[in-house]
Amino acid sequence: MTHTHFLKNLVGLALLAAGSSFAQMTPVGTWHSIDDKTGEAKAEIQIVDKDGALSGRVVKSLRNDPNAKKTCDECKDDRKGQTIIGMEIVRGVKPDASGENLWASGGKILDPENGKDYTVKMVPQEGGKKLQVRGYIGPFYRTQTWLRAQ
C-alpha cells in the first residue's frame, strides 16, 4: 500500500467516524421509550429527519400486556381512533437555534395512551445512547429517558 493510498484510507475512516458520531448525537434513529412511572420499556419509536424536521412513529410495542390500548380514542386530531402501532407521535421537531444538542423548536409529541399533545424538547445524552424527552403543557412537564435500540 502506498503512502498516498494509506492517507486516503485514513482520511476516509476519520470522516466515517466523525459522521457516525455526529449522527448519534441527534434524535434520529430507533429508540425504546421508557415509562417514566414504572421504568419499563414501553415501545420502539423510529425517529426520522423529514426535510429538516423530525418525526417519529411507534413501530412496535415492547409490553406483553393483553389489556394495553390498541387505538388512540382520546386523540383530538387526524390520529383519533388510529392504531397506536404505526402512529406518528412526534411531529415537527427542529434543532434549537442555540446550536447545542437540543431539539426544541416547534415540535409536538403525543401520548397515545391519554391523547394529550405536548410541546417537546429532546436532548441526546451519553454520546447519543440516551435521549431525554420532555413534554410540556404550559408550566407542567413530564420527562422520559429513552434508550437507543442496538
Side-chain angles (χ1 to χ4, degrees):
M1 180 183 300
T2 67
H3 183 68
T4 308
H5 194 202
F6 176 77
L7 283 176
K8 282 183 182 175
N9 282 342
L10 193 60
V11 168
L13 284 173
L15 288 173
L16 183 67
S20 66
S21 67
F22 174 75
Q24 296 299 306
M25 286 305 288
T26 78
V28 172
T30 303
W31 298 92
H32 289 171
S33 66
I34 306 299
D35 190 299
D36 49 316
K37 294 177 183 82
T38 67
E40 294 177 340
K42 294 193 322 185
E44 194 165 281
I45 313 294
Q46 179 73 49
I47 297 179
V48 297
D49 186 326
K50 215 166 36 176
D51 302 321
L54 303 181
S55 68
R57 291 190 181 281
V58 178
V59 290
K60 72 177 174 182
S61 174
L62 298 175
R63 290 181 172 170
N64 284 333
D65 182 357
N67 300 320
K69 291 181 69 169
K70 305 275 191 258
T71 59
C72 187
D73 300 324
E74 293 88 1
C75 287
K76 310 269 186 279
D77 57 15
D78 59 302
R79 296 171 283 197
K80 184 170 182 63
Q82 272 192 20
T83 304
I84 293 171
I85 305 299
M87 179 180 290
E88 185 179 59
I89 62 164
V90 176
R91 290 182 169 174
V93 181
K94 295 182 180 172
D96 189 73
S98 70
E100 297 175 27
N101 292 319
L102 172 65
W103 277 258
S105 186
K108 296 280 191 178
I109 187 166
L110 171 77
D111 181 342
E113 291 183 9
N114 64 21
K116 290 184 179 169
D117 215 13
Y118 298 84
T119 300
V120 69
K121 177 166 87 173
M122 297 179 167
V123 182
Q125 299 176 327
E126 294 184 26
K129 293 180 184 146
K130 294 183 177 182
L131 184 65
Q132 182 189 71
V133 180
R134 182 168 285 171
Y136 296 86
I137 293 182
F140 304 102
Y141 61 86
R142 286 175 57 195
T143 304
Q144 293 182 347
T145 299
W146 293 2
L147 305 177
R148 191 176 292 277
Q150 299 301 324

